[in-house]
Coordinates of all heavy atoms in Angstrom, one line a residue:
T234 N -10.9 12.0 1.4 CA -10.6 10.6 1.3 C -9.4 10.2 2.2 O -8.4 10.9 2.2 CB -10.3 10.3 -0.2 OG1 -11.4 10.6 -1.0 CG2 -9.9 8.8 -0.3
L235 N -9.6 9.2 3.0 CA -8.5 8.7 3.8 C -7.7 7.7 2.9 O -8.2 6.8 2.3 CB -9.1 7.9 5.0 CG -8.1 7.3 6.0 CD1 -7.1 8.3 6.5 CD2 -8.8 6.6 7.0
V236 N -6.4 8.0 2.9 CA -5.5 7.2 2.0 C -4.5 6.4 2.9 O -3.8 7.0 3.7 CB -4.7 8.1 1.0 CG1 -3.8 7.2 0.2 CG2 -5.6 8.9 0.2
F237 N -4.6 5.1 2.8 CA -3.6 4.2 3.4 C -2.5 4.0 2.4 O -2.7 3.6 1.3 CB -4.3 2.9 3.8 CG -5.3 3.0 4.8 CD1 -6.7 3.2 4.4 CD2 -5.0 3.1 6.1 CE1 -7.7 3.3 5.3 CE2 -6.1 3.2 7.1 CZ -7.4 3.3 6.7
V238 N -1.3 4.3 2.8 CA -0.1 4.2 1.9 C 0.9 3.2 2.4 O 1.4 3.3 3.6 CB 0.6 5.6 1.8 CG1 1.7 5.5 0.8 CG2 -0.4 6.6 1.3
E239 N 1.2 2.3 1.6 CA 2.3 1.3 1.8 C 3.5 1.7 1.0 O 3.4 1.9 -0.2 CB 1.8 -0.1 1.4 CG 2.9 -1.2 1.6 CD 3.1 -1.6 3.0 OE1 2.2 -1.3 3.9 OE2 4.1 -2.2 3.3
V240 N 4.7 1.8 1.6 CA 5.9 2.2 0.9 C 6.8 0.9 0.9 O 7.0 0.3 1.9 CB 6.6 3.3 1.6 CG1 7.9 3.6 0.9 CG2 5.8 4.5 1.7
R241 N 7.2 0.5 -0.3 CA 7.9 -0.7 -0.5 C 9.2 -0.3 -1.2 O 9.2 0.2 -2.3 CB 7.2 -1.7 -1.3 CG 5.8 -2.0 -0.8 CD 5.8 -2.7 0.5 NE 6.3 -4.0 0.4 CZ 6.5 -4.9 1.4 NH1 6.2 -4.5 2.6 NH2 7.0 -6.1 1.2
L242 N 10.4 -0.7 -0.6 CA 11.7 -0.5 -1.2 C 12.3 -1.9 -1.4 O 12.4 -2.7 -0.4 CB 12.6 0.3 -0.3 CG 14.1 0.4 -0.6 CD1 14.3 1.1 -2.0 CD2 14.9 1.1 0.4
R243 N 12.7 -2.2 -2.6 CA 13.5 -3.4 -2.9 C 14.7 -3.0 -3.8 O 14.5 -2.4 -4.8 CB 12.6 -4.4 -3.7 CG 11.5 -5.1 -2.8 CD 12.2 -6.2 -2.0 NE 11.3 -6.8 -1.1 CZ 10.7 -7.9 -1.4 NH1 10.9 -8.6 -2.5 NH2 9.8 -8.5 -0.5
R244 N 15.8 -3.5 -3.4 CA 17.0 -3.3 -4.2 C 16.9 -4.5 -5.3 O 16.5 -5.5 -4.9 CB 18.2 -3.3 -3.4 CG 18.2 -2.2 -2.4 CD 19.6 -2.2 -1.6 NE 19.5 -1.3 -0.5 CZ 19.6 0.0 -0.5 NH1 19.9 0.6 -1.6 NH2 19.6 0.7 0.6
P245 N 17.5 -4.2 -6.4 CA 17.5 -5.2 -7.5 C 18.2 -6.4 -6.9 O 19.2 -6.4 -6.2 CB 18.3 -4.6 -8.6 CG 18.1 -3.1 -8.4 CD 18.0 -2.9 -6.9
G246 N 17.6 -7.6 -7.1 CA 18.2 -8.8 -6.7 C 17.3 -10.0 -6.9 O 16.3 -9.9 -7.6
R247 N 17.6 -11.0 -6.1 CA 16.8 -12.3 -6.3 C 15.4 -12.3 -5.7 O 14.7 -13.3 -5.9 CB 17.6 -13.4 -5.8 CG 17.9 -13.4 -4.4 CD 18.7 -14.6 -3.9 NE 18.8 -14.5 -2.5 CZ 19.8 -15.0 -1.8 NH1 20.7 -15.7 -2.4 NH2 19.8 -14.9 -0.4
F248 N 15.1 -11.3 -4.9 CA 13.8 -11.3 -4.2 C 12.7 -10.6 -5.0 O 11.6 -10.5 -4.5 CB 13.9 -10.7 -2.8 CG 14.9 -11.5 -2.0 CD1 16.1 -11.0 -1.6 CD2 14.5 -12.8 -1.5 CE1 17.0 -11.7 -0.8 CE2 15.4 -13.5 -0.7 CZ 16.6 -13.0 -0.4
G249 N 12.9 -10.2 -6.2 CA 11.9 -9.5 -7.0 C 11.8 -8.0 -6.8 O 12.6 -7.4 -5.9
S250 N 10.9 -7.4 -7.5 CA 10.8 -6.0 -7.4 C 9.9 -5.5 -6.3 O 9.2 -6.3 -5.7 CB 10.2 -5.5 -8.8 OG 8.8 -5.9 -8.8
A251 N 9.9 -4.2 -6.1 CA 9.0 -3.7 -5.0 C 7.5 -4.0 -5.3 O 6.8 -4.3 -4.5 CB 9.2 -2.2 -4.9
A252 N 7.1 -3.9 -6.6 CA 5.8 -4.2 -7.0 C 5.4 -5.6 -6.7 O 4.3 -5.9 -6.3 CB 5.5 -3.8 -8.4
E253 N 6.3 -6.5 -7.0 CA 6.1 -8.0 -6.7 C 5.9 -8.3 -5.2 O 5.3 -9.3 -4.9 CB 7.2 -8.8 -7.3 CG 7.3 -8.8 -8.8 CD 8.5 -9.4 -9.4 OE1 9.6 -9.3 -8.8 OE2 8.4 -10.0 -10.5
S254 N 6.4 -7.4 -4.4 CA 6.3 -7.7 -3.0 C 4.9 -7.4 -2.4 O 4.6 -7.7 -1.3 CB 7.4 -6.9 -2.2 OG 7.1 -5.5 -2.1
V255 N 4.1 -6.7 -3.2 CA 2.7 -6.4 -2.7 C 1.8 -7.4 -3.3 O 1.0 -7.2 -4.2 CB 2.3 -5.0 -3.2 CG1 1.0 -4.6 -2.6 CG2 3.4 -3.9 -2.7
D256 N 1.9 -8.6 -2.8 CA 1.2 -9.8 -3.2 C -0.1 -9.8 -2.5 O -0.5 -9.0 -1.7 CB 2.0 -11.1 -3.1 CG 2.4 -11.3 -1.6 OD1 1.9 -10.7 -0.7 OD2 3.2 -12.2 -1.4
A257 N -0.9 -10.9 -2.7 CA -2.2 -11.0 -2.1 C -2.1 -11.1 -0.6 O -3.0 -10.5 0.1 CB -2.9 -12.3 -2.6
G258 N -1.1 -11.7 -0.1 CA -1.0 -11.8 1.4 C -0.7 -10.4 2.0 O -1.3 -10.0 3.0
K259 N 0.1 -9.6 1.3 CA 0.4 -8.2 1.8 C -0.8 -7.4 1.7 O -1.1 -6.6 2.6 CB 1.6 -7.6 0.9 CG 2.0 -6.3 1.4 CD 2.4 -6.2 2.9 CE 2.7 -4.9 3.4 NZ 3.0 -4.8 4.8
Q260 N -1.5 -7.5 0.6 CA -2.8 -6.8 0.5 C -3.8 -7.1 1.6 O -4.4 -6.2 2.1 CB -3.4 -7.0 -0.9 CG -2.6 -6.3 -2.0 CD -3.2 -6.5 -3.3 OE1 -4.4 -6.7 -3.5 NE2 -2.4 -6.4 -4.4
A261 N -3.8 -8.4 2.0 CA -4.8 -8.8 3.0 C -4.4 -8.2 4.3 O -5.2 -7.7 5.1 CB -4.8 -10.3 3.1
R262 N -3.1 -8.1 4.6 CA -2.6 -7.5 5.9 C -2.9 -6.0 5.9 O -3.2 -5.4 6.9 CB -1.1 -7.8 6.1 CG -0.8 -9.3 6.4 CD 0.6 -9.5 6.8 NE 1.5 -9.3 5.8 CZ 1.9 -10.1 4.8 NH1 1.3 -11.3 4.7 NH2 2.8 -9.8 3.9
M263 N -2.7 -5.3 4.7 CA -3.1 -3.9 4.6 C -4.5 -3.7 4.9 O -4.9 -2.8 5.7 CB -2.7 -3.4 3.2 CG -1.2 -3.4 2.9 SD -0.9 -3.1 1.2 CE -1.6 -1.5 0.8
V264 N -5.4 -4.5 4.3 CA -6.9 -4.4 4.6 C -7.2 -4.6 6.0 O -8.0 -3.9 6.6 CB -7.6 -5.3 3.6 CG1 -9.1 -5.4 4.0 CG2 -7.5 -4.9 2.2
A265 N -6.6 -5.6 6.6 CA -6.8 -5.9 8.1 C -6.4 -4.8 8.9 O -7.2 -4.4 9.9 CB -6.1 -7.2 8.4
A266 N -5.3 -4.2 8.7 CA -4.8 -3.0 9.5 C -5.7 -1.9 9.3 O -6.1 -1.2 10.3 CB -3.4 -2.6 9.1
A267 N -6.2 -1.6 8.1 CA -7.1 -0.5 7.8 C -8.5 -0.7 8.5 O -9.0 0.2 9.1 CB -7.4 -0.4 6.3
R268 N -9.0 -1.9 8.5 CA -10.2 -2.2 9.2 C -10.1 -2.0 10.7 O -11.0 -1.5 11.3 CB -10.6 -3.7 8.9 CG -11.2 -3.8 7.5 CD -11.8 -5.2 7.3 NE -12.5 -5.2 6.0 CZ -12.4 -6.2 5.2 NH1 -11.9 -7.4 5.5 NH2 -13.0 -6.2 4.0
E269 N -9.0 -2.4 11.3 CA -8.7 -2.1 12.7 C -8.8 -0.7 13.0 O -9.4 -0.3 14.0 CB -7.4 -2.7 13.1 CG -7.3 -4.2 13.3 CD -8.1 -4.6 14.6 OE1 -8.0 -3.9 15.6 OE2 -8.7 -5.7 14.5
Y270 N -8.1 0.1 12.2 CA -8.1 1.6 12.4 C -9.5 2.2 12.2 O -10.0 2.9 13.0 CB -7.2 2.2 11.4 CG -7.2 3.7 11.5 CD1 -6.5 4.4 12.5 CD2 -7.9 4.5 10.5 CE1 -6.6 5.8 12.6 CE2 -7.9 5.8 10.6 CZ -7.3 6.5 11.7 OH -7.3 7.9 11.7
L271 N -10.2 1.7 11.1 CA -11.5 2.3 10.8 C -12.5 2.0 11.9 O -13.5 2.7 12.1 CB -12.0 1.9 9.5 CG -11.2 2.4 8.3 CD1 -11.6 1.7 7.0 CD2 -11.4 3.9 8.1
A272 N -12.4 0.8 12.5 CA -13.3 0.4 13.6 C -13.4 1.4 14.7 O -14.3 1.4 15.5 CB -13.0 -1.0 14.0
R273 N -12.3 2.1 14.9 CA -12.2 3.1 16.0 C -12.8 4.4 15.7 O -12.9 5.3 16.6 CB -10.7 3.2 16.5 CG -10.2 1.9 16.9 CD -8.8 1.9 17.2 NE -8.3 0.6 17.6 CZ -7.1 0.3 17.7 NH1 -6.1 1.2 17.6 NH2 -6.7 -0.9 18.0
L274 N -13.2 4.7 14.5 CA -13.7 6.0 14.1 C -15.2 6.0 14.2 O -15.9 5.0 14.1 CB -13.3 6.2 12.6 CG -11.8 6.2 12.2 CD1 -11.7 6.6 10.8 CD2 -11.1 7.3 13.1
A275 N -15.7 7.2 14.5 CA -17.2 7.4 14.7 C -17.9 7.1 13.3 O -19.0 6.6 13.3 CB -17.4 8.8 15.2
R276 N -17.3 7.5 12.2 CA -17.8 7.3 10.9 C -16.7 6.9 10.0 O -15.6 7.3 10.2 CB -18.6 8.5 10.4 CG -17.8 9.7 10.0 CD -18.6 10.8 9.3 NE -17.7 11.8 8.8 CZ -17.0 11.7 7.7 NH1 -17.2 10.7 6.9 NH2 -16.2 12.7 7.3
T277 N -17.1 6.1 9.0 CA -16.1 5.6 8.0 C -15.9 6.6 6.8 O -17.0 6.7 6.1 CB -16.4 4.2 7.6 OG1 -16.4 3.4 8.7 CG2 -15.3 3.7 6.6
P278 N -14.9 7.2 6.6 CA -14.7 8.1 5.5 C -14.4 7.3 4.2 O -14.1 6.1 4.3 CB -13.5 8.9 5.8 CG -12.7 8.0 6.7 CD -13.6 7.2 7.5
P279 N -14.6 7.9 3.1 CA -14.1 7.2 1.8 C -12.6 6.9 2.0 O -11.9 7.7 2.5 CB -14.4 8.3 0.7 CG -15.2 9.3 1.3 CD -15.0 9.3 2.8
C280 N -12.3 5.8 1.5 CA -10.9 5.3 1.7 C -10.3 4.8 0.4 O -11.1 4.3 -0.5 CB -10.8 4.1 2.7 SG -11.3 4.6 4.3
R281 N -9.0 4.8 0.3 CA -8.3 4.1 -0.8 C -6.9 3.6 -0.3 O -6.4 4.1 0.7 CB -8.2 4.9 -2.1 CG -7.2 6.0 -2.0 CD -7.0 6.7 -3.4 NE -5.7 7.4 -3.4 CZ -5.6 8.7 -3.4 NH1 -6.7 9.4 -3.3 NH2 -4.5 9.3 -3.4
F282 N -6.4 2.7 -1.1 CA -5.0 2.2 -0.8 C -4.1 2.5 -1.9 O -4.3 2.2 -3.0 CB -5.1 0.6 -0.6 CG -5.8 0.2 0.6 CD1 -7.2 0.0 0.6 CD2 -5.1 -0.1 1.8 CE1 -7.9 -0.4 1.7 CE2 -5.8 -0.6 2.9 CZ -7.2 -0.7 2.8
D283 N -3.0 3.2 -1.5 CA -1.9 3.5 -2.4 C -0.7 2.8 -2.1 O -0.5 2.4 -0.9 CB -1.7 5.0 -2.5 CG -2.8 5.9 -3.0 OD1 -3.9 5.3 -3.4 OD2 -2.6 7.1 -3.1
V284 N 0.2 2.6 -3.1 CA 1.5 2.0 -2.8 C 2.6 2.9 -3.5 O 2.4 3.2 -4.6 CB 1.6 0.6 -3.4 CG1 2.9 0.0 -3.2 CG2 0.5 -0.3 -2.8
V285 N 3.6 3.2 -2.7 CA 4.8 3.9 -3.3 C 5.9 2.8 -3.4 O 6.2 2.2 -2.5 CB 5.2 5.0 -2.4 CG1 6.5 5.7 -2.9 CG2 4.1 6.0 -2.2
L286 N 6.4 2.7 -4.7 CA 7.3 1.6 -5.0 C 8.7 2.2 -5.3 O 8.8 3.2 -6.1 CB 6.8 0.8 -6.2 CG 5.4 0.2 -6.0 CD1 4.9 -0.3 -7.4 CD2 5.5 -0.9 -5.0
L287 N 9.7 1.7 -4.7 CA 11.1 2.1 -5.0 C 11.9 0.9 -5.2 O 11.9 0.0 -4.4 CB 11.6 2.9 -3.8 CG 10.9 4.2 -3.4 CD1 10.0 3.9 -2.2 CD2 11.9 5.2 -3.0
D288 N 12.6 0.8 -6.3 CA 13.5 -0.3 -6.6 C 14.9 0.1 -6.3 O 15.9 -0.6 -6.5 CB 13.3 -0.8 -8.0 CG 12.1 -1.7 -8.1 OD1 11.8 -2.5 -7.2 OD2 11.3 -1.6 -9.1
A289 N 15.1 1.4 -5.9 CA 16.4 1.9 -5.5 C 16.2 3.2 -4.8 O 15.1 3.8 -4.9 CB 17.3 2.2 -6.7
L290 N 17.1 3.7 -4.1 CA 17.0 5.0 -3.4 C 17.3 6.1 -4.4 O 18.4 6.8 -4.3 CB 17.9 5.1 -2.2 CG 17.4 4.2 -1.0 CD1 18.5 4.2 0.1 CD2 16.1 4.6 -0.5
D291 N 16.5 6.3 -5.4 CA 16.7 7.2 -6.5 C 15.3 7.9 -6.8 O 14.4 7.3 -7.1 CB 17.2 6.5 -7.7 CG 17.4 7.4 -8.9 OD1 17.1 8.6 -8.8 OD2 17.8 6.8 -9.9
A292 N 15.2 9.2 -6.5 CA 14.0 9.9 -6.6 C 13.4 9.9 -8.0 O 12.2 9.9 -8.2 CB 14.2 11.4 -6.3
S293 N 14.2 9.6 -9.0 CA 13.7 9.6 -10.4 C 13.0 8.2 -10.7 O 12.3 8.0 -11.7 CB 14.8 9.8 -11.4 OG 15.7 8.8 -11.4
R294 N 13.2 7.3 -9.7 CA 12.6 5.9 -9.9 C 11.5 5.6 -8.9 O 11.2 4.4 -8.7 CB 13.8 4.9 -9.8 CG 14.8 5.0 -10.9 CD 15.9 4.1 -10.8 NE 15.5 2.7 -10.9 CZ 16.2 1.7 -10.6 NH1 17.4 1.8 -10.1 NH2 15.7 0.5 -10.7
V295 N 10.8 6.6 -8.4 CA 9.7 6.4 -7.5 C 8.4 6.3 -8.3 O 8.2 7.0 -9.2 CB 9.6 7.6 -6.5 CG1 8.4 7.4 -5.6 CG2 10.8 7.6 -5.6
E296 N 7.7 5.2 -8.0 CA 6.4 5.0 -8.6 C 5.3 5.1 -7.6 O 5.4 4.3 -6.6 CB 6.4 3.7 -9.4 CG 5.2 3.4 -10.1 CD 5.2 2.1 -10.8 OE1 6.2 1.4 -10.8 OE2 4.1 1.7 -11.3
W297 N 4.2 5.8 -7.8 CA 3.1 5.9 -6.9 C 1.9 5.4 -7.6 O 1.5 5.9 -8.6 CB 2.9 7.4 -6.5 CG 1.9 7.6 -5.4 CD1 0.6 7.2 -5.4 CD2 2.1 8.3 -4.2 NE1 0.0 7.5 -4.2 CE2 0.9 8.2 -3.4 CE3 3.2 8.9 -3.6 CZ2 0.8 8.8 -2.2 CZ3 3.1 9.5 -2.4 CH2 1.8 9.4 -1.7
R298 N 1.4 4.3 -7.1 CA 0.2 3.7 -7.6 C -0.9 3.9 -6.7 O -1.0 3.6 -5.5 CB 0.4 2.2 -7.8 CG 1.4 1.8 -8.8 CD 1.4 0.3 -9.1 NE 2.5 0.0 -9.9 CZ 2.8 -1.3 -10.2 NH1 2.1 -2.3 -9.7 NH2 3.8 -1.6 -11.0
R299 N -2.0 4.5 -7.3 CA -3.2 4.9 -6.5 C -4.2 3.8 -6.6 O -4.4 3.2 -7.6 CB -3.8 6.2 -7.1 CG -2.9 7.4 -6.9 CD -3.4 8.6 -7.6 NE -4.8 8.8 -7.2 CZ -5.3 10.0 -6.7 NH1 -4.5 11.0 -6.6 NH2 -6.5 10.1 -6.4
D300 N -5.0 3.6 -5.5 CA -6.2 2.8 -5.5 C -5.9 1.4 -6.0 O -6.5 0.8 -6.9 CB -7.3 3.4 -6.4 CG -8.6 3.0 -5.9 OD1 -8.8 2.5 -4.8 OD2 -9.6 3.3 -6.6
V301 N -4.9 0.7 -5.3 CA -4.5 -0.6 -5.7 C -5.3 -1.7 -5.3 O -5.1 -2.9 -5.7 CB -3.0 -0.8 -5.3 CG1 -2.1 0.2 -6.0 CG2 -2.8 -0.8 -3.8
I302 N -6.2 -1.5 -4.3 CA -7.0 -2.6 -3.8 C -8.5 -2.1 -3.9 O -8.9 -1.1 -3.4 CB -6.8 -2.9 -2.3 CG1 -5.3 -3.3 -2.1 CG2 -7.7 -4.0 -1.8 CD1 -4.9 -3.4 -0.6
D303 N -9.3 -2.9 -4.7 CA -10.7 -2.6 -4.9 C -11.6 -3.1 -3.8 O -11.5 -4.2 -3.3 CB -11.2 -3.2 -6.2 CG -10.5 -2.7 -7.4 OD1 -10.2 -1.4 -7.4 OD2 -10.3 -3.4 -8.3
S304 N -12.5 -2.2 -3.3 CA -13.5 -2.5 -2.3 C -12.9 -3.2 -1.1 O -13.6 -4.1 -0.6 CB -14.6 -3.4 -2.9 OG -15.2 -2.7 -4.1
A305 N -11.8 -2.7 -0.7 CA -11.1 -3.4 0.5 C -11.8 -3.3 1.8 O -11.7 -4.1 2.7 CB -9.7 -2.9 0.6
T306 N -12.5 -2.2 2.0 CA -13.0 -1.9 3.4 C -14.5 -2.1 3.5 O -15.1 -1.7 4.4 CB -12.6 -0.5 3.9 OG1 -13.1 0.4 2.9 CG2 -11.2 -0.4 4.0
D307 N -15.1 -2.7 2.4 CA -16.6 -2.9 2.4 C -16.9 -4.0 3.3 O -16.2 -4.9 3.5 CB -17.1 -3.2 1.0 CG -16.9 -2.0 0.1 OD1 -16.8 -0.8 0.6 OD2 -16.9 -2.1 -1.1

């Protein structure tokens, strides 16, 4: 499985959390970038999109969400 990973760091403040920053627009840009990459391959492997979220530079506060976009490359 080919995994596209987006890493988001947000420090606590008025702009929201790292998870909130992965909105519909960001997801659309992730899918577009993946499609560009996949178009150059001879065959399309199984794919998924993961997001690593950090609300601080603290290893104990890292959250890894797997498969955050459904059917993105179909």
Side-chain angles (χ1 to χ4, degrees):
T234 301
L235 176 60
V236 181
F237 296 94
V238 180
E239 177 75 16
V240 179
R241 306 297 288 179
L242 168 65
R243 286 285 177 96
R244 297 186 194 277
R247 63 181 183 202
F248 297 111
S250 70
E253 292 170 324
S254 74
V255 186
D256 58 13
K259 181 59 184 175
Q260 289 182 24
R262 289 188 297 278
M263 291 167 60
V264 170
R268 285 187 175 143
E269 283 287 323
Y270 175 77
L271 293 170
R273 298 175 186 171
L274 300 181
R276 68 173 189 83
T277 303
C280 299
R281 74 169 198 255
F282 291 85
D283 291 3
V284 177
V285 175
L286 304 168
L287 301 99
D288 284 317
L290 290 176
D291 178 358
S293 67
R294 296 178 62 190
V295 174
E296 181 181 355
W297 189 301
R298 293 187 185 177
R299 294 174 52 127
D300 210 10
V301 297
I302 303 174
D303 294 325
S304 304
T306 57
D307 293 340

